[in-house]
Amino acid sequence: MPGARRGGLLVGVALIAASFVGAGGAQADRLSDRRAEADRVQADVAELDHRLAAAIEAFNAAELQLQETERAIQENSGQIEVTRRNLEVAEDDLSLQLVADYRYGQVDAVGVILGAGSLVDMLDRIDLVRRTSSRTTTLIGEVLTFSKQLERRGKTLGRQRKARERALTQRTERRAAIRAGMKARQQRLRTIAADIKQIIAEREAAERAAAARRAAAAVAAQQAAAEEPAAPDPGIGGSTGGSTGGSSPAPPEPAPVAPPPPSAGGSSVVAAALSQVGVPYKWGGASPSEGFDCSGLSMWAYAHIGVSLPHFAAAQHAMGTPVDRSNLAPGDLVFFNGDNHMGIYMGGGQFVHAPRTGDVVKVSNLDGYPGYNGAVRI
């Protein structure tokens, strides 16, 4: 019996141990499943963010178009007022001239000349006829010119007002698209379980902490660095040397294109942008008080060195001089996903940007950031 009791005890211990092992394995599987689900959720949200970024930049484009149209209308309206006043003056002058022509007999120039009492009087009358005729012709020409200008500008104003209506409609539609995108994003996050939310929150917290460390290191490096002319940054690109291998000479490479000269205020632009690290993302935002979107941050930062940029990523991309990724320097503007996102290159393979709804101005690594599609130097 004692042997049987010991045997039964060993079996019981083994079963208990096996149950713990089984429970641990099941828990590990469940954690792996939840992490995989968190990956799927984050991928969904990233796709929604990508669409939202495109909608925000489309809104910025409509806003810029509206502003340009408003300026054109204002300028044209001012020119119409000036032309109208000029026309009124010309019409008044012409009326007075026609009265003078009648008074001095301009309607019958031959009679005026023949009525002269002497040769000297006749010469004076000929000169008067010539002068009054010339002035009348000039005034008639001015009236016709101002009338045509007024008509042309009126038609232009009509087209501009229609363009303004289109821009207002586009802005309204794109604002609605942004709100719909933000609602879809919120709904997707509301549908997930608490443990998935926790996993995502921990990942985002870790990323923000890493971004904060990058920003602090960048600020410290800026403060420690002496003021020097910017040079091509070694943080991006590969080695330019090395053995070609084999006995055959390598084919000649095309002559490299010289990069544009570094931006004189690049370091100041970077410093301004870094001063806003931690400020919340806000679509349409372009100031510390309201927050920033991506093109709003670069517009605000460049304003610190007296450079005016439009609040639209694609327009900023078109303004600068293209620069190769291997020649990036502080202050260069970098663009992603078809100009639906952008940032300011800092050096060391990093850039500062306002990423997306729910995030803050932060520092990210350029390598590995998705969708890079070019850079320019302002």
Side-chain angles (χ1 to χ4, degrees):
M1 287 296 297
R5 189 179 297 113
R6 282 196 301 272
L9 181 60
L10 290 174
V11 170
V13 170
L15 290 172
I16 293 172
S19 68
F20 276 114
V21 171
Q27 186 175 2
D29 289 343
R30 182 177 181 280
L31 182 58
S32 177
D33 289 343
R34 304 315 275 169
R35 285 175 176 165
E37 178 62 20
D39 290 341
R40 286 191 291 274
V41 170
Q42 287 185 292
D44 290 345
V45 173
E47 177 61 26
L48 290 170
D49 284 338
H50 178 71
R51 295 177 188 173
L52 191 54
I56 289 169
E57 283 306 303
F59 172 85
N60 288 341
E63 181 71 16
L64 182 62
Q65 180 63 43
L66 180 60
Q67 292 171 3
E68 291 175 349
T69 303
E70 292 284 7
R71 281 194 295 269
I73 288 175
Q74 186 175 5
E75 180 182 351
N76 193 29
S77 298
Q79 291 295 330
I80 285 175
E81 186 58 32
V82 170
T83 303
R84 183 177 287 114
R85 288 198 299 267
N86 288 339
L87 177 59
E88 290 172 355
V89 170
E91 287 175 336
D92 290 343
D93 288 347
L94 179 59
S95 297
L96 292 173
Q97 184 63 43
L98 291 174
V99 170
D101 289 347
Y102 179 79
R103 182 176 298 164
Y104 291 105
Q106 179 62 23
V107 293
D108 186 8
V110 174
V112 170
I113 295 171
L114 292 178
S118 66
L119 179 61
V120 173
D121 187 21
M122 185 182 71
L123 292 176
D124 287 342
R125 291 188 177 214
I126 290 172
D127 183 59
L128 176 63
V129 168
R130 181 183 59 77
R131 284 188 287 109
T132 56
S133 176
S134 174
R135 176 158 174 72
T136 302
T137 302
T138 299
L139 290 173
I140 291 173
E142 287 180 357
V143 169
L144 291 174
T145 297
F146 291 136
S147 296
K148 290 178 180 177
Q149 285 181 358
L150 198 59
E151 183 181 2
R152 279 198 309 271
R153 290 190 179 278
K155 290 179 179 178
T156 300
L157 184 61
R159 291 193 295 270
Q160 289 169 334
R161 284 173 173 165
K162 289 180 180 178
R164 177 173 59 186
E165 291 303 315
R166 289 194 298 271
L168 283 167
T169 300
Q170 286 183 342
R171 187 179 66 169
T172 300
E173 291 172 349
R174 288 166 181 178
R175 182 185 282 118
I178 291 169
R179 289 173 175 165
M182 294 176 70
K183 184 178 179 181
R185 188 180 194 275
Q186 292 166 355
Q187 288 176 338
R188 180 68 182 98
L189 291 173
R190 276 200 298 266
T191 61
I192 61 178
D195 54 349
I196 303 292
K197 287 181 182 178
Q198 181 64 27
I199 292 171
I200 292 174
E202 289 172 357
R203 290 176 178 178
E204 290 179 345
E207 167 54 27
R208 289 194 182 187
R213 289 193 296 271
R214 289 192 291 267
V219 171
Q222 274 215 329
Q223 291 173 346
E227 289 294 332
E228 297 178 358
D233 186 76
I236 297 293
S239 170
T240 58
S243 171
T244 60
S247 57
S248 300
E253 295 183 358
V257 177
S263 173
S267 295
S268 298
V269 169
V270 170
L274 286 174
S275 72
Q276 300 306 302
V277 166
V279 173
Y281 179 95
K282 170 68 176 176
W283 69 268
S287 71
S289 59
E290 63 178 344
F292 296 97
D293 62 15
C294 62
S295 53
L297 176 64
S298 55
M299 181 178 76
W300 180 87
Y302 262 93
H304 280 68
I305 62 169
V307 175
S308 178
L309 297 179
H311 194 167
F312 180 35
Q316 292 186 26
H317 199 166
M319 286 180 64
T321 302
V323 58
D324 189 80
R325 184 166 175 165
S326 61
N327 291 314
L328 288 174
D332 290 347
L333 302 179
V334 290
F335 299 87
F336 307 88
N337 300 318
D339 292 350
N340 287 328
H341 185 55
M342 64 173 298
I344 303 170
Y345 186 69
M346 300 165 40
Q350 297 179 326
F351 68 105
V352 57
H353 62 140
R356 62 182 181 275
T357 298
D359 211 332
V360 297
V361 176
K362 65 200 291 186
V363 173
S364 296
N365 291 318
L366 189 59
D367 281 341
Y369 199 89
Y372 178 86
N373 67 281
V376 296
R377 187 162 297 165
I378 301 298

